[in-house]
Amino acid sequence: PDGMAWIALLALAATALAQVPSRPPTWLMNASTIIMPCNNSGFTDPATTAGWGVVDFDWSNAKAIWAKQKPMNDEELLFQQVKMTTAATKNATVWVYRCSVYAYPWYTSVRTIMDDPAYSPWFIKFKPQGPWYSPKCDNNYNPPKCSDYYHMQEQTPGYPHGDGDCAAPACDCGTAPCGFYLWNHSSTAIVHGQSFRDWFINSYMFNEVGSSPLVSGFFWDDFWPGKSGNFPDASAGKIVQDTGMTPEDLQSITDAYDANMAALKAYTLSKGKFSWQMLWTGGSATGTGSTCPGPLVEKSSCASNLRSLCNENSPAQTRTMMYAFSPGRCNMDPSKLPMLHEDLANFLLVRGPYAYLGHGWLGCSHFYNFPPELNMDYGEPVSGVCKETAPNSGIFTREYTHATVQMDCGTYTPTITWK
C-alpha cells in the first residue's frame, strides 16, 4: 500500500498492541528513570541530566535564546540540545516536545507552512465578525502584523516582555504574529501533494529532528476536547468564542484528531520510538500518560493499591508504567525526594518489564536530584509479581536476584534487604 494507507493499517493494528517500546525490556534501575527538564535561560547542562534513563526536553528549553532570534528557531535549538545531551552521555535516551493541538510558529517546520497561503485550510480561523477576545495583530509592527488564523497569547514570547522576551523592535515568528495557533485536524485539503495527516506525521513529527536516531521519543502535548470546548493550556484565550465553532464542529475535529493520533502512535511504534502519552500513569487501563502523574501507591491506600497492582494483568505489568516520586502531580521540588525509599520500594514491587520512576512536568530551571539508590542494581524478579505475605497482612514482598523488597502498609515502612 502507499505511505498513508500503510499508516492507516498500522493504526488499526496498534489498537490491539500493548503500548510498550520495541526495545528489549530492562530491569536496570538507572535505565528505568525519567524526567522532563527545561532551562528557560539557556541550554540545559548535560551534566545535570546525566544518569537519568529518559530525558524528555520541553519546548520552553532555551527560550531566553530562541525568543530573541529573527525568526525564532526553537526547533533547531531543541535539536541542538539533543545533540549536546547524547554527546555527553553514552546511549542517552532523549525525547522531544511536539504539540499535537496548537501550531507553534517558533518551530520552523510550522512557520514554513503558516507563511504559505496554500496551507490555509489546515488552520482554524477567527470567526468573520468580532469582537474577538484574542488580538489578531501585533501592533509593534508598522503597519501591524495580522493573521486571520486563530491565535492566542498563551505562554507566548512578547516585546518588550512576555513569556520570553523578544529583541527589538518586535517578536519575529514569520509573516504572522506570534501565538498559539490551532491545527484543523479535520481538513481534507491536499496541499503540495500532502494531506494534513501525511504532513503532520512525516514532515512535522518525523522531520529531521523526529526521525533522527538521536531522538528516541516524544511528548505529544494537549488534546482536542470534544463538544465541551474545554481546551487545555488555553487560559489566555477564548477559543470557542473567538472561532465560532459549534459543538458539532468541535466533535468532528476531535474525531479527526483522535484518528490522526492513532495513526501517529502506530507509525511511531513502527519506527522503534515511543511517547510520553503511551505511558501508563494510573487510572484507566487504556488511559493516556498524564503530564502531572503522582505516585501509584499512597500511604492512605497502600494495601489496596498494592493488591491491585500486584497482579499479572495489571497495566503496571502489561503497559509501560511511569511512577512519579511523591508528592508528584506537577507540584514538587525535584531536588528534594521526601519519600524516596517508600517510592523506590513500591516501584520495585509493582513494576513490569517496561517501567520508569521519575517526574512529570515540573516547570523550568529545576535541579533534579539523582540519588545513589537509583544507581544500584537490584537484579531481576525471581518469580512473577509481588505477593502479600498472608491474607490482609498488609505486608507485600518481591524477590529480586540481588535484593528482597518489602512494604509494610500498616506502618508504611519500606525495606530493601541485599542478598
Side-chain angles (χ1 to χ4, degrees):
D2 62 39
M4 292 317 296
W6 175 240
I7 289 176
L9 289 172
L10 286 172
L12 292 174
T15 60
L17 295 175
Q19 294 181 38
V20 297
S22 60
R23 64 163 174 81
T26 181
W27 297 92
L28 289 173
M29 190 60 235
N30 52 12
S32 304
T33 57
I34 191 168
I35 53 172
M36 199 187 304
C38 161
N39 177 20
N40 53 18
S41 66
F43 289 107
T44 297
D45 182 351
T48 65
T49 59
W52 291 96
V54 173
V55 181
D56 182 4
F57 284 107
D58 183 67
W59 69 273
S60 289
N61 195 64
K63 185 183 269 190
I65 300 175
W66 58 256
K68 291 180 170 58
Q69 305 307 304
K70 301 195 179 299
M72 296 184 191
N73 60 347
D74 183 11
E75 195 167 25
E76 289 80 0
L77 265 61
L78 195 59
F79 196 24
Q80 187 174 339
Q81 179 71 71
V82 171
K83 294 175 181 177
M84 292 167 58
T85 304
T86 54
T89 304
K90 184 180 179 181
N91 299 322
T93 299
V94 181
W95 297 358
V96 294
Y97 179 99
R98 287 289 185 272
C99 195
S100 64
V101 172
Y102 302 114
Y104 294 171
W106 36 85
Y107 274 36
T108 301
S109 58
V110 175
R111 182 174 62 250
T112 299
I113 70 167
M114 285 183 58
D115 287 350
D116 184 344
Y119 290 93
S120 173
W122 292 3
F123 296 90
I124 301 296
K125 311 300 192 299
F126 281 102
K127 63 185 179 183
Q129 299 295 323
W132 305 285
Y133 180 82
S134 290
K136 298 176 71 173
C137 301
D138 182 348
N139 292 313
N140 286 307
Y141 286 88
N142 186 17
K145 185 184 288 188
C146 304
S147 177
D148 288 331
Y149 296 177
Y150 174 77
H151 55 283
M152 60 180 170
Q153 298 305 299
E154 181 76 24
Q155 302 174 48
T156 297
Y159 178 79
H161 301 295
D163 194 334
D165 297 343
C166 302
C171 298
D172 188 348
C173 287
T175 61
C178 295
F180 273 31
Y181 289 74
L182 197 57
W183 301 120
N184 179 6
H185 278 265
S186 67
S187 176
T188 59
I190 303 298
V191 184
H192 299 318
Q194 281 187 302
S195 67
F196 175 77
R197 179 185 290 183
D198 185 4
W199 178 89
F200 182 71
I201 294 175
N202 292 296
S203 301
Y204 173 52
M205 295 291 181
F206 279 86
N207 62 2
E208 178 192 8
V209 180
S211 63
S212 168
L214 301 180
V215 172
S216 301
F218 306 91
F219 185 94
W220 298 325
D221 204 6
D222 298 320
F223 57 87
W224 268 81
K227 292 182 178 181
S228 73
N230 294 324
F231 284 84
D233 291 328
S235 60
K238 295 184 178 180
I239 295 176
V240 175
Q241 174 182 313
D242 278 359
T243 62
M245 285 188 286
T246 66
E248 291 71 27
D249 294 331
L250 290 162
Q251 189 60 55
S252 175
I253 300 175
T254 297
D255 292 343
Y257 168 80
D258 290 343
N260 288 342
M261 293 305 293
L264 172 61
K265 181 189 298 182
Y267 187 76
T268 300
L269 290 170
S270 79
K271 292 299 183 180
K273 305 198 180 201
F274 208 63
S275 82
W276 187 283
Q277 283 62 37
M278 296 185 207
L279 297 172
W280 184 72
T281 55
S284 168
T286 59
T288 297
S290 171
T291 305
C292 298
L296 295 171
V297 180
E298 303 274 7
K299 182 178 181 179
S300 61
S301 53
C302 173
S304 62
N305 293 155
L306 287 174
R307 288 182 190 119
S308 174
L309 294 167
C310 294
N311 183 313
E312 62 184 11
N313 296 316
S314 162
Q317 305 299 318
T318 61
R319 289 188 57 186
T320 304
M321 180 188 79
M322 189 276 170
Y323 190 115
F325 281 114
S326 300
R329 299 180 180 85
C330 296
N331 186 30
M332 66 174 290
D333 177 356
S335 69
K336 300 178 175 63
L337 301 174
M339 304 191 80
L340 167 64
H341 297 102
E342 292 86 346
D343 289 332
L344 177 59
N346 286 327
F347 174 79
L348 291 170
L349 285 171
V350 306
R351 69 158 298 175
Y354 297 96
Y356 296 109
L357 174 64
H359 302 280
W361 173 241
L362 297 174
C364 291
S365 303
H366 290 296
F367 170 71
Y368 286 83
N369 178 22
F370 191 84
E373 289 86 346
L374 300 184
N375 257 331
M376 295 179 179
D377 182 6
Y378 302 93
E380 299 184 7
V382 173
S383 59
V385 296
C386 51
K387 304 291 184 183
E388 193 167 7
T389 57
N392 298 315
S393 70
I395 300 173
F396 297 81
T397 64
R398 193 180 196 185
E399 292 291 332
Y400 280 75
T401 50
H402 300 159
T404 299
V405 181
Q406 177 179 290
M407 170 56 77
D408 182 343
C409 288
T411 59
Y412 208 57
T413 303
T415 305
I416 298 178
T417 305
W418 291 98
K419 296 180 177 178

